[in-house]
Amino acid sequence: MLAVLLLHAALAAATPALSRRLGPKVFLLAALAPLAGVVLLVTAAPQVLAGEALRTVVPWIPGLDLWVALRLDALALLMLVLVSGVGFAIFVYTAWYAADDAKLARMVWMLTAFAGAMFGLVLADDVILLYVFWELTTVTSYLLVGLDDEEETSRRSAQQALLVTVLGGLSMLLGLIALAQAAGTSRISEILADPPSGGVVPVALLLVLLGAVTKSAQVPFHPWLPAAMAAPTPVSAYLHAAAMVKAGIYLVARFSPAFTDVGWWRPLLVTVGVATMVVGGWRALRQHDLKRLLAFSTVSQLGFLMAVAAWGTPEAAVALAVLLLAHGFAKSALFLTVGAVDHAAHSRDLRRLSGLRRKMPVLATAAAVAALSMGGVPLLLGFVAKEAVLAAVLGTEGVFPAAAAAGLVVGSALTLAYSLRFWWGAFGDKDLPDQDPDAAPASGTVDPDAVHGPGTGLVAPVVALSAVSVLLGVVPSLADDLASGVSAAYPGAEPAHLALWHGINLELVLSLTALAAGAALFAVRAGFAGAQERFARAVPAALDADRGYAGTVRVVDRLADDVTGRTQSGSLPVYLGVIATTAAVLPGAALLWYGVDLSGTVLVDTPLQLGVGALVAAAAVGAARARGRLTAVLLLGAVGYGVALLYVLQGGPDLALTQFLVETLSLVVFLLVLRLLPRRFPPSVHRRAQVVRAAVATAVGVFVTVATLAATSVRTRPGVSEELLARSAPEAAGKNVVNVILVDFRGLDTLGEVTVVLTAALGIAALVLTARPPRPARPEPNDEPDPAEVPR
């Protein structure tokens, strides 16, 4: 597992350089990463499906108890079928789809890095590691959606996806940490084996689920997914059909066996899922862009998956396994179909496409299989999945299961309607009346004779993915072991027996009802489109998720401007005052609360120290009250030199020398700056401001003094200085312990500090040289000056 993960990282690092030589075929090399994942799942399947989870644990930061803990069980194996199996087909497809342009190198490493992050996400068995891979998928998807960074639409869509998913990711992190604290372990498998309860656990679960619903585009967070269609089509097929959006479904499926007994778990998530399924299906029927139609259909199917994942029974787990496979294969095939059609016809508008099935019959047939499978038509995998879902829901008694089943039937009818509309829009003959919303003027229709064939490289992956839907639809028992392994996480689960025919029962009746309603809805789509428009105008703006997102962003921007305007006033004294007050008040309050014993503190060793201290205090007061800038600078220098004298009296001549050098250099710099400033300070500020400044200065001075004395008076063990003194001579052969510390004990630290100082010096020198005005060119001896340039 770790080797495959490292292979993803290595190929992500190496492929950009190779893209110049290989061109788009560099994706065939990058496809070795998901292919390695396929090899892993094939070789590990017998052992995993036998009930044994494979584990890999490697130290990451042992001091913080962080480990690279990977675990491969049946659910992770199921996800690898999509992440690596479907991912491999998409990488191969992209080798013929991608253009050989400046974005190729970025696209190949981003897509490979995303594949690695998703691979790590489904295998992570540590809450922190899960979050790291979770956010890596977020960042890489942001980069992929905004790949065409010259287009404002791409940048805005990428930003929307990032904001929504990062919000969920941060909340998920808080929830995972709270769960880990309550369970006493950060291993996900251990948390789920003995789930905590009570206390902060319900809140923690809500935070985790917020991450899941945002990642999987559930209502009301769904608008980011259709907006993300600005990404290249293979990216959409991988991220938004096979992999990334499944992460939230995977998280819910992972946690359901342990927390399905929480009272609100099933009602909340199933309600959100069914609502998302219906809203996504409704919106899909209004789209004319084939890719946006698939985007809203993905939202709809993600709601379907969420409802099933949260149902929390062994039968629902079996149904989820089949539904994940059905959706992953069908939706990826349809997205790749859009890419092939767009590549050949240079249009995705279903109102302009007509008769393409005659030009590309193989692609049209494969797309029909995928669309019908997604619609739940018999003899295909989607039908088996829908039957299993209805059986699992109806197998639970109560009003809520009946209502949920009704909602799923409505969503299934919409699914078949937009699936038929997709295929008809891409490949059908548009001999439609003018009032049909899918009709277009003859001048706007793409001429099928002018469309070139999409090529084998773009068709073969679609055919392969659709063929799997047919194979598993006709022989669904091939998925029995995998579905049984997923359901084994629930106590009392029995082996799955998937079949195409279960006899005439309620599930079959509901399936046929959904198919009939979906077909009728497609047939009357012209009148239905008008009803949709009227409904859209009647919906209040507050219920529109797209407007809600835009409004939220505007409110946040306005609030940020207001807060920034009030806090970033541009006044350096205000900034310093706030920082100093915070640094003094918060720890000072802790000192007052817990108390401190200063009875044994020695303030002065010799009377000479008291005299020098008095001079330093007098110089500091004089600097604060000085009206002339030069006087204030000289008094500040006196303060520094006085501190250097205290170092001498304390027996630290090297520190005193450093202080003398620093004060001298500071004094010189101050004097150079004073040449550019007025000789005197501006008139005094208001009396109230002076009192506030004096109070802040007094509070800081008192706190620093008390804190220093308290820190030196609470020692309970010998200081580290004694150990340094004892080791300086035998280990470093040095008599000056300060030099030994700087050069030997802290050599790398000192080197770093010197490097920082040199870097700052270079930066300052560069700024000075940049700001220096250029010298005028000297005229050649024989050149006569231009009369226009001679000063009068």
Side-chain angles (χ1 to χ4, degrees):
M1 290 185 284
L2 188 60
V4 175
L5 190 61
L6 293 176
L7 179 62
H8 281 82
L11 288 175
T15 47
L18 297 174
S19 63
R20 298 179 181 177
R21 176 176 299 179
L22 299 178
K25 298 305 182 286
V26 72
F27 279 96
L28 296 178
L29 177 62
L32 293 176
L35 180 60
V38 173
V39 173
L40 172 66
L41 74 89
V42 171
T43 55
Q47 192 173 355
V48 171
L49 296 180
E52 182 179 352
L54 304 182
R55 291 179 173 85
T56 297
V57 180
V58 178
W60 181 12
I61 309 177
L64 299 178
D65 195 25
L66 295 179
W67 308 83
V68 178
L70 305 177
R71 183 174 182 269
L72 179 59
D73 61 359
L75 180 59
L77 195 73
L78 171 65
M79 291 298 298
L80 286 186
V81 174
L82 303 178
V83 173
S84 297
V86 177
F88 174 72
I90 292 173
F91 270 75
V92 173
Y93 175 95
T94 312
W96 276 267
Y97 179 89
D100 190 2
D101 55 18
K103 296 188 286 293
L104 178 63
R106 285 187 293 151
M107 182 178 177
V108 66
W109 82 255
M110 291 173 188
L111 199 61
T112 309
F114 171 83
M118 197 68 204
F119 181 87
L121 187 152
V122 299
L123 296 180
D125 193 33
D126 182 88
V127 294
I128 302 300
L129 188 65
L130 173 64
Y131 173 73
V132 169
F133 284 123
W134 187 280
E135 291 302 347
L136 282 176
T137 62
T138 298
V139 172
T140 49
S141 66
Y142 162 76
L143 296 173
L144 286 166
V145 172
L147 184 65
D148 191 0
D149 51 5
E150 296 180 358
E151 290 290 333
E152 181 182 357
T153 302
S154 297
R155 297 195 302 271
R156 185 171 59 249
S157 300
Q159 183 188 58
Q160 181 176 357
L162 182 70
L163 290 176
V164 175
T165 53
V166 164
L167 169 66
L170 291 175
S171 67
M172 185 195 73
L173 175 63
L174 295 176
L176 289 175
I177 292 176
L179 283 178
Q181 291 293 323
T185 177
S186 63
R187 297 291 175 86
I188 297 174
S189 57
E190 296 176 3
I191 295 174
L192 300 180
D194 185 16
S197 60
V200 300
V201 172
V203 177
L205 287 176
L206 286 174
L207 292 174
V208 171
L209 293 179
L210 181 59
V213 298
T214 53
K215 197 80 162 181
S216 292
Q218 302 296 300
V219 168
F221 304 103
H222 63 282
W224 74 263
L225 181 55
M229 293 302 106
T233 300
V235 172
S236 299
Y238 195 25
L239 274 65
H240 306 132
M244 175 183 166
V245 292
K246 299 290 198 313
I249 307 300
Y250 163 77
L251 191 65
V252 173
R254 177 66 73 189
F255 278 70
S256 278
F259 297 104
T260 189
D261 291 335
V262 177
W264 48 262
W265 180 275
R266 179 187 294 174
L268 175 64
L269 290 177
V270 172
T271 301
V272 169
V274 172
T276 303
M277 185 181 188
V278 174
V279 170
W282 177 275
R283 294 289 301 274
L285 288 173
R286 298 181 58 197
Q287 307 305 315
H288 299 299
D289 185 297
L290 290 175
K291 200 173 177 183
R292 281 186 63 83
L293 189 157
L294 286 184
F296 280 104
S297 74
T298 302
V299 171
S300 177
Q301 293 299 293
L302 288 172
F304 195 10
L305 288 164
M306 180 63 72
V308 180
W311 197 256
T313 62
E315 295 78 11
V318 171
L320 175 66
V322 185
L323 188 60
L324 276 170
L325 294 175
H327 178 261
F329 290 124
K331 188 56 63 67
S332 298
L334 293 178
F335 266 113
L336 298 184
T337 298
V338 172
V341 170
D342 192 15
H343 197 273
H346 305 292
S347 177
R348 300 196 308 253
D349 192 334
L350 58 82
R351 295 168 297 183
R352 300 189 63 232
L353 301 174
S354 179
L356 295 187
R357 61 184 174 84
R358 294 189 298 272
K359 193 69 176 182
M360 42 188 84
V362 177
L363 181 65
T365 302
V369 170
L372 294 176
S373 177
M374 188 169 64
V377 174
L379 299 181
L380 298 172
L381 184 58
F383 173 77
V384 177
K386 185 173 60 175
E387 289 274 283
V389 170
L390 291 175
V393 173
L394 295 173
T396 306
E397 297 181 356
V399 177
F400 182 76
L408 295 178
V409 170
V410 173
S412 298
L414 293 171
T415 300
L416 180 64
Y418 62 65
S419 299
L420 294 174
R421 185 166 185 262
F422 169 85
W423 189 90
W424 179 259
F427 300 103
D429 294 323
K430 299 301 188 302
D431 298 331
L432 304 173
D434 293 340
Q435 65 269 20
D436 194 296
D438 294 340
S443 60
T445 303
V446 175
D447 184 5
D449 296 331
V451 176
H452 63 82
T456 304
L458 299 182
V459 175
V462 180
V463 173
L465 293 171
S466 299
V468 176
S469 296
V470 176
L471 177 63
L472 293 180
V474 177
V475 192
S477 58
L478 294 175
D480 279 353
D481 292 341
L482 185 57
S484 298
V486 174
S487 66
Y490 291 87
E494 297 180 356
H497 297 289
L498 298 171
L500 182 62
W501 175 255
H502 294 280
I504 299 176
N505 50 29
L506 182 57
E507 297 88 68
L508 179 62
V509 172
L510 292 178
S511 293
L512 296 178
T513 301
L515 292 175
L521 194 58
F522 172 73
V524 298
R525 61 191 180 280
F528 186 70
Q532 283 185 306
E533 292 295 333
R534 291 190 295 273
F535 179 82
R537 289 192 295 267
V539 171
L543 298 179
D544 191 319
D546 297 281
R547 297 180 187 177
Y549 167 79
T552 301
V553 171
R554 286 194 299 270
V555 170
V556 172
D557 286 342
R558 192 178 303 115
L559 181 62
D561 291 340
D562 186 60
V563 171
T564 303
R566 293 178 182 276
T567 57
Q568 303 296 321
S569 60
S571 172
L572 182 59
V574 171
Y575 296 160
L576 293 177
V578 171
I579 295 172
T581 302
T582 304
V585 170
L586 295 182
L591 283 177
L592 291 175
W593 178 264
Y594 291 104
V596 59
D597 184 12
L598 303 179
S599 58
T601 303
V602 179
L603 297 178
V604 178
D605 292 327
T606 63
L608 190 56
Q609 289 179 336
L610 184 61
V612 175
L615 292 176
V616 170
V621 173
R625 297 185 59 82
R627 294 293 177 263
R629 298 181 187 272
L630 179 60
T631 303
V633 169
L634 294 176
L635 289 173
L636 281 178
V639 171
Y641 288 123
V643 173
L645 289 176
L646 290 175
Y647 289 153
V648 172
L649 296 177
Q650 196 66 28
D654 48 354
L655 295 178
L657 178 59
T658 302
Q659 182 72 14
F660 276 122
L661 292 176
V662 170
E663 286 300 330
T664 302
L665 180 61
S666 300
L667 186 61
V668 171
V669 173
F670 269 122
L671 292 176
L672 291 174
V673 174
L674 286 181
R675 297 181 305 161
L676 307 176
L677 298 175
R679 297 180 59 184
R680 300 182 65 82
F681 289 108
S684 300
V685 296
H686 194 271
R687 180 68 176 177
R688 182 181 300 174
Q690 290 181 329
V691 172
V692 172
R693 294 180 179 183
V696 171
T698 302
V700 172
V702 171
F703 164 72
V704 171
T705 302
V706 174
T708 304
L709 296 176
T712 56
S713 64
V714 296
R715 188 183 303 277
T716 58
R717 303 182 64 182
V720 71
S721 57
E722 298 180 8
E723 188 73 15
L724 294 175
L725 288 170
R727 293 190 178 191
S728 60
E731 294 188 10
K735 297 181 180 180
N736 188 322
V737 68
V738 175
N739 291 343
V740 170
I741 293 172
L742 294 176
V743 177
D744 292 278
F745 296 159
R746 295 180 57 193
L748 293 177
D749 189 16
T750 303
L751 177 63
E753 293 173 353
V754 171
T755 304
V756 170
V757 172
L758 290 177
T759 304
L762 292 175
I764 294 172
L767 290 174
V768 170
L769 293 176
T770 303
R772 181 179 298 173
R775 295 181 179 179
R778 296 182 178 180
E780 296 294 332
N782 296 330
D783 291 346
E784 295 185 1
D786 189 345
E789 297 180 356
V790 176
R792 297 179 181 178

